[in-house]
Amino acid sequence: VEVETSRGSIACKDVVIAAGPFSARMAKKAGVTIDLQPTIRQKLILPDVPEVPPHAPMTIEEETAAHWRPALNGAFGLFTDPSVPAMEPLDDVPTATEFALKLLTPASPVALARVSPFWAKVWERGTASWVLHAGQYDYTRDHRPLLGPTAIEGVHLNTGYSGHGIMAGTAGSRIVADLVVGRLQQDANPFRYDRPMPERTLDIL
């Protein structure tokens, strides 16, 4: 395998594609076709909100997946909007003010006030500042990662965590490493890229 970089070519026995939403584009360059659906997800950051209990756990409404957790003397707020379409991977992911308003407006069906009533007081106070961050989840059709070798010898995948990378990435990377060195065989890998992949939909909201 030879990898072209901005500093020239690097020859190696094995290469692992772990490029998040850009993984399908990278895999295509290596002759491998994978089905990834990059989808914008956003995070509302509310620093310095005195109403937030600083030692509270992450609090989530099961029906909508709207949730908040303490951070920066305030909180992070999130929800998964199933109406957002998949798109091409982006270097600069745009934010949308309506995402913040859906979480903060008490009458919204995904309002944080539905989970914890003190958020209605934060809205009424009207002095909280906030900022949005945005990125892309790399969804697979069954919302499970793509791990391990491909049909191209020496080309491996570690991608497609569908929003669960921070929770599953360590274990997933261990599986990939074990597959590369032969401690695990591909027929025992439930996350192989060519597995049957029935579509799972986001049915919240």
Side-chain angles (χ1 to χ4, degrees), residues 12-92:
C12 53
K13 179 182 177 183
D14 296 284
V15 61
V16 178
I17 296 172
F22 292 90
S23 293
R25 185 177 294 177
M26 297 291 293
K28 188 175 182 179
K29 292 182 178 181
V32 178
T33 299
I34 59 175
D35 185 6
L36 277 187
Q37 302 167 36
T39 306
I40 292 178
R41 295 295 178 224
Q42 303 192 57
K43 177 171 67 177
L44 174 62
I45 302 170
L46 295 129
D48 301 316
V49 180
E51 290 89 346
V52 175
H55 302 296
M58 184 179 79
T59 305
I60 184 168
E61 182 177 43
E62 183 175 358
E63 292 81 2
T64 65
H67 61 282
W68 64 272
R69 63 179 184 270
L72 305 175
N73 296 316
F76 295 151
L78 303 93
F79 82 100
T80 300
D81 186 347
S83 68
V84 176
M87 60 183 62
E88 291 299 309
L90 300 172
D91 284 311
D92 188 8

Side-chain angles (χ1 to χ4, degrees), residues 49 51-53 59 61 68 103-107 111-125:
V49 180
E51 290 89 346
V52 175
T59 305
E61 182 177 43
W68 64 272
L103 285 172
L104 293 173
T105 307
L112 295 178
R114 288 168 51 97
V115 184
S116 303
F118 72 79
W119 285 107
K121 296 181 180 178
V122 175
W123 175 259
E124 291 167 5
R125 179 162 54 82

Side-chain angles (χ1 to χ4, degrees), residues 141-158:
R141 292 197 175 274
D142 64 358
H143 298 184
R144 302 290 186 264
L146 305 174
L147 306 178
T150 68
I152 306 299
E153 186 175 357
V155 177
H156 308 260
L157 298 172
N158 187 6

Side-chain angles (χ1 to χ4, degrees), residues 174-188:
R174 177 76 270 168
I175 289 172
V176 174
D178 286 347
L179 287 162
V180 169
V181 301
R183 282 195 293 262
L184 179 67
Q185 300 304 309
Q186 178 72 332
D187 58 6

